[in-house]
Amino acid sequence: MTAFERTMADEAGARHAIAVNSGTSALHLIIRGLGIGLGDEVITTPFSFVASTNCILFEGATPVFVDIEPTTLCIDPEQVEAAMTPHTKAILAVDVFGHPADWKALEAIAREHELLLIEDSAEALGSTLDGKSCGGFGNAGVFAFYPNKQITTGEGGMVVTDDGELAEICRSMANQGRDGGGWLNHVRLGYNYRMDEMSAALGLSQLQRLDELIAARARVASWYEEALSEIEGVETPHVKPNVGMSWFVYVIRLTDRLSRADRDGVLAELRERGIECRDYFQPIHLQPYLQEMLGTKRGQFPITESVSDRTIALPFFTTMSDEQVRIVGTALSEILQRKKRH
Ligand SMILES: Cc1ncc(COP(=O)(O)O)c(C=O)c1O
């Protein structure tokens, strides 16, 4: 376990790493460990997996959504400042699909307004911004190791931070509130969020191959770029020039001339041809339970909603071949040509 944690801390350029049983647990520990709770507002993105918002709700704090940049699909720093109130305590940004958020801008905002800053890097293990590793920005960061991620431990996650006190609290909370005083001595409210040794061993062995895995995924992404760039109506992912991209998924967008129903039709036709694909993500503020809890509704975050209506996550895995990518490209091209004619 400690070897996996040490290697992971090095990978993120952080002083401490605490292995836990999921990315969601890691996020929860950070929110609680930083003392974020009732009455606090956390500015975050509606374009993410729900766990990045749920961890705020777990502690009774309020997520305040702001819209995303249309290129990187990460939170828009300019909108963060506009959403601030006297109750704002933290910013929780997500490195969406492996692309780093604008951490330089977010760190400047957090510094100026004395806010906590949390990096959900669940999808970005191995990505860099200006040469600095994702996971290492802000007060603390998170990685996740579900089987769809760059490396997997089955289920699993990791807290990374330079803050020694936060690391100690997270480690204790992940282990039923123990603090070195014995198995049946509990100094705080804790959880069973521990990662087991078997998972850690699996994680360590894959982490040692991370560069090779990232390179293989980058190769598949470049084949896709080649196969899709000429197809009218398809927008391939944007990668900023100062980013080293560790590809999590390969998500294209259809032109905004097509509706959500058109996109769903394309998904259905791809699946009919045996090509597994999905819409990704559905906006968090439109999830039924959040509309009920927070009163959020369609129309509030137009970029998130427009992007989300047009995404298609294409098949993407480390061992995918050039030939398989070309089959997907040809299918997509044929389906879109036909749509154009109708
Ligand atoms: C952005 C983001 N945050 C958090 C998580 C949660 O990780 P886990 O599924 O390991 O709990 C995920 C996982 O899919 C994710 O994509």
Side-chain angles (χ1 to χ4, degrees):
M1 176 83 77
T2 46
F4 184 37
E5 289 176 334
R6 225 176 326 122
T7 317
M8 208 65 206
D10 288 346
E11 173 59 40
R15 275 203 274 280
H16 309 277
I18 301 103
V20 292
N21 60 356
S22 75
T24 307
S25 304
L27 284 167
H28 183 203
L29 292 176
I30 291 172
I31 292 285
R32 193 170 167 83
L34 288 173
I36 296 166
L38 207 61
D40 295 328
E41 291 177 358
V42 181
I43 297 177
T44 191
T45 172
F47 192 70
S48 173
F49 181 67
V50 287
S52 60
T53 290
N54 285 349
C55 65
I56 300 165
L57 294 166
F58 290 162
E59 290 303 313
T62 305
V64 173
F65 296 117
V66 302
D67 218 337
I68 56 171
E69 299 176 325
T71 47
T72 65
L73 311 183
C74 298
I75 198 166
D76 182 348
E78 281 182 21
Q79 306 222 18
V80 168
E81 288 210 273
M84 253 177 244
T85 75
H87 302 292
T88 307
K89 178 130 181 195
I91 303 166
L92 192 160
V94 179
D95 299 319
V96 175
F97 303 152
H99 195 293
D102 186 349
W103 291 105
K104 208 181 263 178
L106 294 169
E107 284 183 334
I109 295 169
R111 213 176 306 116
E112 185 185 338
H113 298 276
E114 298 184 4
L115 300 176
L116 297 163
L117 184 60
I118 301 161
E119 179 176 11
D120 181 344
S121 200
E123 302 181 354
L125 174 63
S127 287
T128 59
L129 180 70
D130 292 319
K132 185 175 164 171
S133 298
C134 281
F137 296 98
N139 297 80
V142 158
F143 294 115
F145 312 122
Y146 188 72
N148 64 348
K149 299 296 189 303
Q150 287 89 335
I151 70 165
T152 184
T153 58
E155 294 277 5
M158 189 78 67
V159 173
V160 287
T161 182
D162 281 338
D163 179 341
E165 195 182 337
L166 175 65
E168 239 174 77
I169 293 170
C170 287
R171 191 175 292 287
S172 166
M173 287 194 298
N175 187 21
Q176 305 280 22
R178 298 182 178 102
D179 215 359
W183 192 248
L184 293 178
N185 190 54
H186 309 273
V187 299
R188 56 172 58 81
L189 178 64
Y191 309 85
N192 180 358
Y193 282 174
R194 294 181 305 264
M195 177 180 277
D196 63 279
E197 292 292 339
M198 297 274 282
S199 302
L202 189 59
L204 181 61
S205 72
Q206 286 183 67
L207 197 52
Q208 284 156 350
R209 295 177 46 221
L210 182 63
D211 289 346
E212 178 195 322
L213 296 170
I214 289 174
R217 293 169 91 87
R219 209 160 40 239
V220 178
S222 72
W223 289 332
Y224 264 129
E225 177 65 36
E226 215 177 289
L228 305 182
S229 58
E230 300 298 315
I231 302 179
E232 202 193 320
V234 168
E235 193 176 342
T236 54
H238 300 256
V239 180
K240 279 192 180 168
N242 58 343
V243 162
M245 186 76 177
S246 169
W247 292 87
F248 163 51
V249 280
Y250 194 86
V251 178
I252 57 157
R253 273 178 274 170
L254 300 183
T255 169
D256 52 14
R257 288 191 302 281
L258 294 177
S259 67
R260 181 189 174 86
D262 289 327
R263 187 276 314 271
D264 292 346
V266 175
L267 285 172
E269 285 192 57
L270 284 168
R271 286 190 193 120
E272 266 167 35
R273 294 176 182 226
I275 296 171
E276 203 37 60
C277 53
R278 61 162 60 196
D279 53 330
Y280 210 57
F281 301 105
Q282 308 230 15
I284 296 180
H285 68 287
L286 298 182
Q287 296 291 346
Y289 75 106
L290 281 171
Q291 294 201 52
E292 209 170 286
M293 276 177 91
L294 304 172
T296 45
K297 51 185 181 301
R298 189 166 272 279
Q300 280 186 295
F301 305 105
I303 300 174
T304 295
E305 292 165 21
S306 158
V307 166
S308 169
D309 283 349
R310 294 180 293 118
T311 55
I312 297 182
L314 295 173
F316 188 71
F317 47 95
T318 312
T319 54
M320 198 166 178
S321 70
D322 194 1
E323 172 70 17
Q324 287 170 318
V325 168
R326 259 182 285 136
I327 292 170
V328 176
T330 305
L332 193 58
S333 174
E334 286 171 6
I335 293 166
L336 287 173
Q337 276 296 326
R338 198 140 31 84
K339 277 227 167 321
K340 212 170 114 192
R341 281 199 298 275
H342 291 156

